[in-house]
Amino acid sequence: MNILAFMKPRSEVTYLCTDNTAREAVEIMHKNRYTSIPVLSKDGKYVGTITEGDLLYTLDAVGRDEMKNIKVSSIKRHRDYETVNINETMIVLLSRASNENFVPVIDDSNQFLGIVTRKELLNYFFEHNFMVL
């Protein structure tokens, strides 16, 4: 089993670009009911993860009207989700997924390939390994 078997490809992932505004980030996250979302550079490299908390701190600091003038690239992120390389072991993937809702998957040049969700991993586990007593 490898990471590719669980990965949702970039073409199916909602993400932000560094030049999106904080206002756009709020709208996208609200529309999709996400609490966090990957951020990519213009050339498709994984930059980090914006969370609701990051946006709330920004809102508190600049006010609602200024959210349309703040670029995602300038938002202070509390912490970024750890990535996993597409060639990494399942043990590393499971370790990272235990801490976050999703794990960003990258290649050797830090290009964002997609995500693996914790839900997908748990579903697989329950379908293939879980036995009810």
Side-chain angles (χ1 to χ4, degrees), residues 1-105:
M1 187 69 35
N2 66 29
I3 290 172
L4 194 57
F6 298 99
M7 188 181 80
K8 179 188 274 192
R10 175 181 170 170
S11 62
E12 297 176 17
V13 175
T14 301
Y15 57 87
L16 298 169
C17 292
T18 53
D19 60 348
N20 283 114
T21 67
R23 172 87 181 196
E24 291 169 329
V26 169
E27 290 169 358
I28 290 167
M29 289 175 69
H30 182 265
K31 175 185 168 197
N32 292 288
R33 300 183 54 108
Y34 294 151
T35 59
S36 58
I37 191 167
V39 178
L40 308 183
S41 65
K42 288 181 183 181
D43 59 354
K45 294 185 186 296
Y46 175 74
V47 173
T49 304
I50 291 287
T51 66
E52 288 175 316
D54 300 332
L55 292 170
L56 285 172
Y57 282 111
T58 303
L59 175 65
D60 186 49
V62 303
R64 184 172 186 240
D65 292 337
E66 281 301 305
M67 292 291 277
K68 67 181 182 283
N69 298 320
I70 303 294
K71 296 289 183 194
V72 166
S73 60
S74 66
I75 294 174
K76 184 175 189 255
R77 297 186 306 271
H78 176 68
R79 66 182 170 79
D80 291 318
Y81 289 11
E82 285 188 77
T83 61
V84 64
N85 185 286
I86 191 69
N87 299 312
E88 193 59 77
T89 66
M90 288 300 293
I91 297 297
V92 172
L93 174 62
L94 291 170
S95 173
R96 302 245 166 91
S98 70
N99 297 320
E100 310 296 352
N101 291 329
F102 66 86
V103 179
V105 180

